[in-house]
Amino acid sequence: MHSPPRSPAEPGRVHPTHRRRRASVRAVLGAALTALAVALVPALTPGTAQAAPLAGGGDLGPNVIVFDPSTPNIQATLDDVFRKQESNQFGEARYQLLFKPGTYNGLNAQLGFYTSISGLGLTPDSTTINGDVTVDAGWFNGNATQNFWRSAENLALKPVSGDDRWAVAQAAPFRRMHVKGGLNLAPNGYGWASGGYIADSKIDGSVGPYSQQQWYTRDSSIGGWGNGVWNMVFSGVQGAPAQTFPNPPYTTLSTTPVSREKPFLYLDGSTYKVFVPAKRTNAQGVSWANGTPAGDSIGLDKFYVAHPGDSAATINTALAQGLNLLFTPGVYHVDQSINVNRANTVVLGLGYATIEPDNGVTAMKVADVDGVKLAGFLLDAGSRNSAELLQVGPPGASADHSGNPTSLQDVFARVGGAGAGLVTTAITVNSDDTIIDHTWLWRADHGSGVGWDTNRADYGLVVNGDDVLATGLFVEHFNKYDVQWNGERGKTIFFQNEKSYDAPNQAAIQNGSTRGFAAYKVADSVNTHEGWGLGSYCYYNVAPSIVQDHGFEAPDKSGVKFHDLLVVSLGGQGQYAHVINNTGPATSGTSTVPSTVTSYP
């Protein structure tokens, strides 16, 4: 996201800018027996030396900084990390700030790039900061549209001024937080802003989005909501404004169909564990309202604690042993796919741990098994083209995971920006029932290694599985379809997109007889699909005369339904002829006013 210049909004003013393919018992047993046979081969081969098992647990590394209330000079340490990371948008440093349960007074934790701050209690209220966790945009002259890759989680805050400032863009989740006051989502001066995501949080006061173009809030409680610019979406939020799209642009669902909160690291006495929250159905409000949330704890000794420099072979050995996986902060180069083959495996990253394929492999593959949890890491495309960065389930996956789905939470992908990157599809989801809860898949529009073919990436997200749910889907700038949905009974609650800025001309994006590839394409074969609160923007600044026939494309079938769609031309740099298929008004001129469709068909 790198929005073009627009007039900043003043305070309180609207800113201008699932065929279940059931596997047969024979197929399931066959796969299981094959896996068992493979696992037994080393034990049955005479003369084979057996390597010692890899140990679980261990040191979290130098870039995990742990505080308790008696730690001296906490503010100085926070300030030092911020100085290093404030404008370090494409650097390799990564930090995780962990606060043990207790009360901390007079702190202002300013967060820069690749910095995550978390409490180590089982609930947010176990760790209270009488002070602030702040994101602002002074580094970028008050423009918050590039405040990516940072997070806050599992803390209670009592802001000094009454309102905490969280002026973020994409890939900056605010999870399991309790703000004993209000939350201001705009930068100082109410400059440009393009976020964002809140989940499982309680904001006692009001949330003021001010200049924020779009926002998604899930399974939370808020004291109020201040305004809306283009696309404000709520599901399962107590205190959310009523459904009024497009004016104000509020899309409100009383509950979230299926959700499961992100796993998190915590302290049980002096022992580190990972808490894995339970799945919720038709959820509303926070998961921790009645104290200890429902779920399971896994000791850190059941995790392989990975450090930068660990090979993919070592990581795969650990996973094959039955260990879960914790990535400590840093950049991990892999020359083979990380294979997550065991049901219920947790793969958790700290401090925006980043995985980059070096030789065109798929960085991570997940088997068609129950209950894998992927959370908290960034996939960065390498300089040789990968077919995918992440594959969830092999092609043809067909097992029923409805009782225990795989989930992706705060799993992000980047193509270019930190250097030339190439991938055909950022993430492919083949497994049924997968939950995609907050992702930003970004083909870079700025930084290094950026160009129409230099960081080529045709597709952001391809969904082949049935009954997949996306909550908080951000996908931007891909060369063809940003999202291509082929599975049945899919659902998306909130979608934010910008089409590629750098298309050189109309011919470069011609899609047969259609001008441009839709931001969100539902395959013609699909019979049932539904989406709420979806927006696409264009900013064809290289070739402003480009016309995009529509932002959204779907088959005209009664089971395919959309609610609250919008398209926007940013400053007249390219235009949309329609919103969805041949429905909805064109964008016009330089006014940067959304064209909307409230219901389709």
Side-chain angles (χ1 to χ4, degrees), residues 496-557:
Q496 185 266 328
N497 165 264
E498 283 182 344
K499 294 302 300 174
S500 58
Y501 292 178
D502 55 349
N505 48 53
Q506 185 78 52
I509 61 164
Q510 192 68 19
N511 181 15
S513 61
T514 302
R515 293 176 296 178
F517 289 80
Y520 190 106
K521 162 70 172 177
V522 180
D524 294 344
S525 60
V526 170
N527 295 308
T528 306
H529 188 92
E530 196 160 9
W532 297 262
L534 282 65
S536 177
Y537 324 148
C538 73
Y539 184 65
Y540 288 116
N541 61 320
V542 174
S545 63
I546 285 177
V547 176
Q548 180 90 21
D549 270 343
H550 40 236
F552 303 91
E553 184 178 341
D556 288 315
K557 299 178 182 179

Side-chain angles (χ1 to χ4, degrees), residues 309-475:
D310 283 355
S311 69
T314 298
I315 291 169
N316 281 331
T317 297
L319 289 167
Q321 280 180 206
L323 291 170
N324 300 286
L325 180 57
L326 181 76
F327 287 105
T328 62
V331 178
Y332 295 76
H333 289 265
V334 297
D335 59 0
Q336 59 180 270
S337 299
I338 295 171
N339 295 312
V340 183
N341 294 330
R342 180 178 57 87
N344 300 310
T345 301
V346 177
V347 179
L348 177 62
L350 300 180
Y352 283 81
T354 301
I355 306 167
E356 181 177 342
D358 285 338
N359 56 356
V361 299
T362 295
M364 186 178 293
K365 294 183 178 182
V366 181
D368 193 24
V369 295
D370 273 0
V372 171
K373 291 90 178 175
L374 309 178
F377 55 87
L378 171 63
L379 300 159
D380 203 357
S383 58
R384 286 183 56 185
N385 188 73
S386 295
E388 301 147 322
L389 296 177
L390 172 62
Q391 181 192 89
V392 181
S398 60
D400 178 4
H401 305 296
S402 56
N404 185 13
T406 284
S407 54
L408 285 64
Q409 299 180 289
D410 305 342
V411 173
F412 309 118
R414 178 174 68 195
V415 187
L422 295 166
V423 67
T424 302
T425 302
I427 295 181
T428 301
V429 175
N430 296 314
S431 286
D432 294 348
D433 308 294
T434 300
I435 301 169
I436 307 167
D437 179 42
H438 189 225
T439 189
W440 183 42
L441 312 181
W442 185 58
R443 177 182 168 266
D445 61 273
H446 64 272
S448 65
V450 172
W452 183 247
D453 292 311
T454 305
N455 64 327
R456 179 95 192 177
D458 285 349
Y459 309 101
L461 174 67
V462 174
V463 178
N464 298 316
D466 297 335
D467 296 291
V468 172
L469 170 66
T471 52
L473 182 57
F474 299 75
V475 189

Side-chain angles (χ1 to χ4, degrees), residues 147 280 426 517 535 557 590:
N147 281 351
R280 304 171 77 194
F517 289 80
K557 299 178 182 179
T590 61

Side-chain angles (χ1 to χ4, degrees), residues 10 57 66 110 129 193 211 248 315 345 390 421 443 519 568 581 594:
E10 297 173 1
V66 183
Q110 301 182 81
I129 294 177
S211 54
I315 291 169
T345 301
L390 172 62
R443 177 182 168 266
V568 181
N581 296 344

Side-chain angles (χ1 to χ4, degrees), residues 21-35 368 396-399:
R21 295 163 298 167
R22 309 282 187 189
S24 68
V25 172
R26 180 179 298 172
V28 172
L29 287 174
L33 289 170
T34 299
D368 193 24
S398 60

Side-chain angles (χ1 to χ4, degrees), residues 50-70:
Q50 300 299 305
L54 293 169
D59 181 72
L60 296 177
N63 284 22
V64 175
I65 304 173
V66 183
F67 305 100
D68 64 44
S70 66

